[in-house]
Amino acid sequence: MSQFFSTPWTRASAVAAITLVLAACGKGQQAAAPAPAVDKPAVPAVATVDGTPISRQAYDDYLKAALRGKPVSDATVEEKNQVLDQMINMQILATVAEKDGLDKDPEVATRLTLVRTQIMADAAAQKYVKTNEPANSELHAAYDAATDKTEYHASHILVPTKEKAQALIKKLKGGAKFEDVAKAESTDNSKATGGDLGWFTTARMVKPFGDAVKALKKGEITPEPVQTQYGWHIIRLEDTRDAPFDQMKPQLANALMQKKFQAHIDDLRKTVKIEKNL
């Protein structure tokens, strides 16, 4: 994949880590946090600290959060042991905090209440998503109505300066083959295939590049170099097509679910009395 494809931000949920911290604080925090599921675990605890078990479920949840999207099966023995040591340290500190009465500190109590609210809200949201997945008919309707389902097949030449790009455009206009120039001059890893980027949607590209591609007709080359954070591009549009339904299905489902959930929140807000005092 070319280096200038934009990467959507992914958010690793900290809920597992927060849940562990709450559970580690023991019985003294039950009024402000969910009751820790550490008593009589269904499977053997991964560790005990002064008789307090750290459950396998809590460990697995925390490990997933700590790996930040990396598959648990890929975790090394060292990584697994590091995570367990972190959990043991947290349990020790949480016990000290409870003995010192820190759970009664107004600031700490406020933060515990907020964390509990966040966890419960997340649980409610996940339940809604699981029970309200878009029907296939909804997805097909969304696909038919989509205005941004065009896929583009393009090639490019990436160079570090505008002057270099302008010189290459002049060379291309003089009859040089795009593929040959890309292989000889481009700094992008697509040079091996003559600058060919394959099929993509403009949502996957940095905006200046995507906008330039949209403005081209099949077979056209950008008349002026296109600047992005990666350098200066000369782009040729090879072809366009509609992205297949199956390829767009995840993105359509996500968009539909966001709309459904926002409508659900709006309906819930109508059922409660809200007073703002900022």
Side-chain angles (χ1 to χ4, degrees), residues 60-224:
D60 289 343
D61 285 348
Y62 190 67
L63 178 61
K64 289 177 184 177
L67 291 173
R68 298 178 179 272
K70 176 182 175 180
V72 173
S73 58
D74 290 347
T76 65
V77 173
E78 182 181 6
E79 287 173 330
K80 291 178 180 179
N81 283 322
Q82 286 177 345
V83 167
L84 183 56
D85 283 337
Q86 288 175 11
M87 295 181 72
I88 290 171
N89 292 342
M90 283 195 298
Q91 178 62 58
I92 293 170
L93 289 171
T95 300
V96 171
E98 186 174 9
K99 287 179 179 178
D100 289 345
L102 295 182
D103 54 320
K104 305 301 191 298
D105 180 275
E107 183 178 348
V108 174
T110 297
R111 290 166 61 192
L112 287 171
T113 299
L114 177 59
V115 168
R116 181 182 188 280
T117 300
Q118 290 173 327
I119 293 173
M120 294 300 289
D122 183 63
Q126 290 188 36
K127 179 181 178 182
Y128 180 85
V129 168
K130 288 178 181 178
T131 55
N132 291 274
E133 293 182 357
N136 210 43
S137 57
E138 293 178 283
L139 294 171
H140 276 286
Y143 175 79
D144 292 339
T147 58
D148 58 348
K149 59 186 175 186
T150 302
E151 279 193 321
Y152 299 85
H153 180 197
S155 300
H156 85 134
I157 300 167
L158 178 65
V159 293
T161 68
K162 183 178 182 180
E163 293 72 23
K164 178 69 172 178
Q166 289 174 327
L168 293 181
I169 289 176
K170 186 176 181 179
K171 188 174 182 180
L172 291 168
K173 288 180 178 179
K177 288 188 64 177
F178 192 97
E179 293 80 2
D180 293 342
V181 175
K183 289 178 180 179
E185 304 286 355
S186 184
T187 61
D188 184 59
N189 55 20
S190 64
K191 67 184 297 181
T193 56
D196 191 352
L197 298 172
W199 290 96
F200 55 86
T201 60
T202 54
R204 293 181 56 205
M205 312 299 284
V206 291
K207 191 175 187 303
F209 191 98
D211 290 344
V213 169
K214 288 180 181 179
L216 292 173
K217 293 180 181 179
K218 183 177 177 179
E220 281 188 340
I221 294 174
T222 47
E224 291 293 330

Side-chain angles (χ1 to χ4, degrees), residues 6 135 261:
S6 60
F261 186 69

